Amino acid sequence: MTPAASDPTILVIFGTTGDLMARKIAPSLYHLRAKGALPERFHVVGYSRRNWSDLDLREHVEMILAERASGADPGDVREFLGDFSYSSGEFDDAEGYVRLMRHLEAIDSKWGTCANKLFYLAVSPAHYSTIFKHLSQSGLTGTCGEGNGWTRVIVEKPFGHDARTSAELDEMLSALFKEEQIYRIDHYLAKEILQGILNFRFTNNLLETSWDRSAVESIELVLHEKLGVEHRGWFYDGVGALRDVGQNHLLQMLALMTMEQPAASSAEAIRAARATAIREVLKPMTAEEVVRNSYRSQYEGYRDIEGVDHCSQTETFFRLKTVLTGPRWAGVPVTFESGKRMGEARKEIIVTFRHPRPCLCEGGPHHKNQVVFSFEPSDSITIVFWAKKPGFERVIERREFNFFLYEKEEKAQYVEEYARLLLDAIRGDQTLFISTDEIRAMWEFIDPVTDAWTQGLTPLHTYAPDTFDVSEQAAEALAMAPSRGVVGICGLGKMGAALALNLRENDWEVVGYNRSPEKAYALEAHGVSPVVSLAELVGALPRPRVVWVMLTAGKPVDRILFGDAGDPSAIGLLDLLEEGDFVIDGGNSYYKDAIARAARFAERGIRFLDCGTSGGPGGARSGACLMVGGRKEDFEAVEPIFADVALAGGGYRFFEGHGAGHFVKMVHNGIEYGMMQAIAEGFQIMRFSDFELNLSQVAAVYQRGSVIESRLIGWLKDAMSELGDSLEGVSGMVGHTGEAEWTVRTAEEMGLEARVIKGALQFRVESERDPSYAGQVLSALRNRFGGHTM
């Protein structure tokens, strides 16, 4: 027993005679009593409209426990019931709250202390406003003075009907209570298997280092219920499956899957990490995306249930697909699915990992590992892996490692979850309760979906109850929607071709255009669809179209973007694309050019992003470093593309403002010039020193934990190992592009010094007439990372 849970406490339940009290609260309170977890001085006060006495309430609770706590000791039950009393009143009756106040004061007087007060609203959310108003006016929520007796409130989901009503509810709550006094219940968070996810991920290091987009291929969250709506028709028909379990249970499950490790084990840190996860990995879907990636259905016979509209358009099943965002998860498909009256209960989270490349599959299919968190029919964690089947043949077979969490002691549904939540509310631990930030983030994602459904954009199907047919139908219908999408690439040189192959391996459809068509056709065998004109490229892309331009800075880019002023027949992307389409300039253009280009496209409603790309052809092929500028909403709309191009290193970041991406890349190249120059000069000094130094070994030792360890040193080591320390055959005349010059010019315009970068640039210019060993080092490095001529 913690000190906080041992203080005298009064639990006031509004709606004591209702269904929530019978199914969840009363059995859970007795479970806590049987475990010795309740404070020694603990009292339950029921408040409802029925004209009951204390005896009537106790008999009611006794009947509940006879049904839901079979085997309970009668004497212990009678002693437990002695802690119950009743105060009658309507929810809008001011006098009723005055009587309730006197009732609580009498208990305080009997105990000789000011007890803690926990108010539980076990009523329909329609009554929240009325109860909160009267609680405030009556003074019931006031404390007894400094350090004496806290007051807290428990509210049940749904937390509003949408973002607007949720904000109104939150405003009412905040007028009465501080955030630390408010306990919003989503009982799924109290399930042992979901609590265990935090420890599975963050107490162990077995899989967490692979728990991101580089290793995880997809996440599927499933809540199949065998039960139907039954007697809940009046409530359920105004809510539907998505609001009932999608807006809360499923999104909380996703948060636990995708959240970063909390800064501490405190409730504040854990809830903040969950809220951040929901906000950062889910972007609101457009109406078009909802139509393409959602399926909704209603089981036959639902409209005959009491309280359900005979023309009801409420879904009892849904399947929803989207793609996660953010540096850690961008591009990973996630599927939410839930339904009532399914063939059997199935509640689980399935994390599927990418197959290894190359895969030792012995000619068979690529095998994928999975981690499955199941909480019905059993609480378990299953790891799916593949192993050689015993015998002479090299045959791979599926194996499972199963960990069953525990044997449930209680058979009554909800008892363990609600017992934990009630105890935590008494203790003051909010870890398993929903915060305001989480609710806001959840509604931001759900509202666009329900809005599209309300408008009838996604048809409502029907399904035969007590089968899995609807799940199969939904999966088949949504399988037609690509998990990634289609990208057009203009410019299939070394960088553009590598980029196209990278995207193809990440399941993007790629349409490729190059002024020399043979380069496009050369990639056809790798799954790239070649076209011979810009018009054909644009025509092959679905809207909103995404075109990535990968060309040398300057005129080649302008020619593709805006056409050729000297040739009226040469039309550019500006005149071919339509409002809402995207252009990504992935070459290393001058940032002021990017600003001007973005303005021209904006006049037509075409969205423009400038993307500085580092890493050379090797990076474009297996994981580039990307610096993206533009508008944030445009970036987020196509973020999965950048995430996949940067897969290996995960190196992509957004910078607000058109031209910002190319500006950051420009400065990057200026810094690169200075770093390379310092390396070249240093190795030149060692080359001509009195010591007979093996320079490839010098580079090797520098690359083992020294301060100057870097990819540049590593590339130089490789070059010297291959070509020898003399770098024979490598030119001492060093090529240069415009970006270092742009950096120096920009610094001068800003009145700033850039001496190192300016000197490095000047060295390259002068190397044309005065080649040197330092120049050979620079040429070797340029060849290694950019494929430039040596």
Side-chain angles (χ1 to χ4, degrees), residues 571-606:
I571 301 174
L573 290 173
L574 180 67
D575 294 315
L576 291 169
L577 296 174
E578 298 177 272
E579 183 177 353
D581 291 342
F582 292 83
V583 172
I584 301 170
D585 179 4
N588 296 324
S589 295
Y590 186 36
Y591 79 95
K592 290 186 178 180
D593 290 342
I595 295 172
R597 290 164 181 163
R600 291 186 65 179
F601 278 107
E603 292 175 358
R604 304 281 184 90
I606 299 169

Side-chain angles (χ1 to χ4, degrees), residues 669-688:
N669 278 29
I671 294 171
E672 173 192 301
Y673 268 53
M675 292 174 67
M676 289 173 64
Q677 185 68 27
I679 292 171
E681 291 175 2
F683 274 79
Q684 179 169 262
I685 291 169
M686 288 187 285
R687 170 72 174 162
F688 296 106

Side-chain angles (χ1 to χ4, degrees), residues 280-283 323-331 636 639-640 652:
E280 291 190 352
V281 305
L282 287 173
K283 65 180 178 66
V323 176
L324 301 181
T325 63
R328 182 166 185 163
W329 293 102
E636 290 176 342
E639 184 180 1
Y652 74 97

Side-chain angles (χ1 to χ4, degrees), residues 342-355:
M342 304 297 285
E344 63 180 32
R346 173 182 166 231
K347 301 177 181 179
E348 60 189 16
I349 305 168
I350 305 166
V351 180
T352 301
F353 289 80
R354 300 174 186 268
H355 63 72

Side-chain angles (χ1 to χ4, degrees), residues 147-215:
N148 293 314
W150 46 252
T151 59
R152 295 171 185 152
V153 62
I154 299 176
V155 293
E156 287 271 350
K157 74 170 187 69
F159 309 114
H161 191 73
D162 50 26
R164 180 184 60 80
T165 55
S166 174
E168 291 173 354
L169 172 60
D170 193 60
E171 187 177 342
M172 287 188 291
L173 276 168
S174 61
L176 275 175
F177 302 97
K178 298 177 181 178
E179 179 66 20
E180 58 266 27
Q181 294 176 283
I182 304 168
Y183 290 72
R184 304 174 185 85
I185 284 184
D186 178 349
H187 72 272
Y188 261 59
L189 281 177
K191 289 184 176 293
E192 286 288 352
I193 192 67
L194 293 189
Q195 294 180 59
I197 288 173
L198 284 178
N199 293 107
F200 178 87
R201 288 189 57 195
F202 302 124
T203 304
N204 305 294
N205 199 31
L206 180 65
L207 291 174
E208 186 60 23
T209 53
S210 301
W211 207 259
D212 57 33
R213 64 177 315 280
S214 66

Side-chain angles (χ1 to χ4, degrees), residues 614-616 618-619 622-625 675 679 703 708-718 781 784-785:
S614 182
S622 59
C625 173
M675 292 174 67
I679 292 171
Q703 196 63 4
I708 62 170
E709 178 182 358
S710 64
R711 296 181 76 182
L712 289 169
I713 294 291
W715 281 321
L716 182 57
K717 176 182 71 67
D718 293 342
L781 285 173
R784 288 287 154 172
F785 67 74

